[in-house]
Amino acid sequence: AEGRGDRDIKNAAAEQRADAVAPTQDALHVMTERFEAAIQASHVVVFNQDRQLRYTWILNPAFGYDATEVLGKSDSDLLERAGDAARTEGIKRRVIETGIGDRQEVPIAHHGAEYWYDLSVRPQRDVTGVIVGITCAAVDITSRKQSEANVSFLAELTDALMPAGSPREVARIAAERIAEYFGLSRCL
């Protein structure tokens, strides 16, 4: 039988453990709040998916989704273009199969517009090292990709205008190239 002294010692030890854990839990809570605030103020989506590539956790979902709309679904359930889902799910499957992380820039269509994401995928492991899914970060790089396309277009336009012999020819070439770049059927 356990005596009162033994119970007092066990209770004191339990209180000491609780007192030691409390500051760690408080620090973890503060750090989590800071992380969530930073992510929600950015163009970054952070998420986990299981081995079947169903979303199990997500912070700051893209395209105005609420987390509850995403959880339990896969990219093929959520993305408009089957090719986009096939591309992202292929990257993620390779990470699960090989255990080696990957990072790629991927286009995603949404409501008729093309968005670009810098997708980082890492294996998510349990405490024994078994891969149980993936941890991902997707950064919206659409503005950067559009800027790169604009710079490329301007360089090509400059090259096309260099041999032009007259202001009229410069205007014609510029109008044709600009109309082509913006997908216009008529210009001027």
Side-chain angles (χ1 to χ4, degrees):
E2 187 176 289
R4 181 180 168 163
D6 291 337
R7 275 193 307 258
D8 289 343
I9 291 171
K10 287 182 180 178
N11 287 339
E15 287 177 20
Q16 283 179 337
R17 283 192 302 275
D19 289 344
V21 169
T24 303
Q25 288 176 330
D26 290 344
L28 181 60
H29 177 74
V30 168
M31 189 170 49
T32 300
E33 284 185 337
R34 290 174 180 160
F35 169 75
E36 289 178 359
I39 294 298
Q40 289 174 346
S42 71
H43 297 284
V44 179
V45 183
V46 181
F47 55 94
N48 289 112
Q49 289 175 281
D50 61 20
R51 290 185 64 86
Q52 290 73 43
L53 300 180
R54 292 181 303 245
Y55 287 84
T56 58
W57 175 82
I58 188 165
L59 182 60
N60 203 29
F63 307 127
Y65 281 116
D66 184 78
T68 58
E69 297 174 280
V70 175
L71 296 178
K73 295 182 180 170
S74 66
D75 290 349
S76 58
D77 297 323
L78 297 168
L79 300 181
E80 294 174 4
R81 288 190 306 213
D84 293 348
R87 184 178 307 106
T88 58
E89 289 179 345
I91 295 165
K92 295 169 183 179
R93 276 193 192 91
R94 278 191 302 280
V95 169
I96 289 172
E97 291 166 5
T98 65
I100 300 169
D102 195 4
R103 183 175 177 182
Q104 294 190 32
E105 293 180 356
V106 294
I108 304 291
H110 184 70
H111 291 179
E114 180 138 298
Y115 296 84
W116 281 87
Y117 285 87
D118 180 354
L119 177 64
S120 176
V121 184
R122 297 178 52 171
Q124 180 187 12
R125 299 175 189 274
D126 67 12
V127 294
T128 65
V130 173
I131 296 174
V132 295
I134 51 174
T135 298
C136 304
V139 181
D140 184 343
I141 58 169
T142 306
S143 294
R144 189 195 88 206
K145 293 297 267 188
Q146 187 59 52
S147 294
E148 289 171 358
N150 290 344
V151 168
S152 177
F153 166 71
L154 291 174
E156 290 171 13
L157 180 60
T158 300
D159 289 345
L161 293 176
M162 293 299 260
S166 69
R168 183 178 205 95
E169 191 174 355
V170 167
R172 182 190 59 75
I173 293 170
E176 287 173 1
R177 296 293 176 105
I178 291 169
E180 181 181 317
Y181 182 72
F182 288 105
L184 304 174
S185 59
R186 286 181 58 189
C187 187
L188 299 180

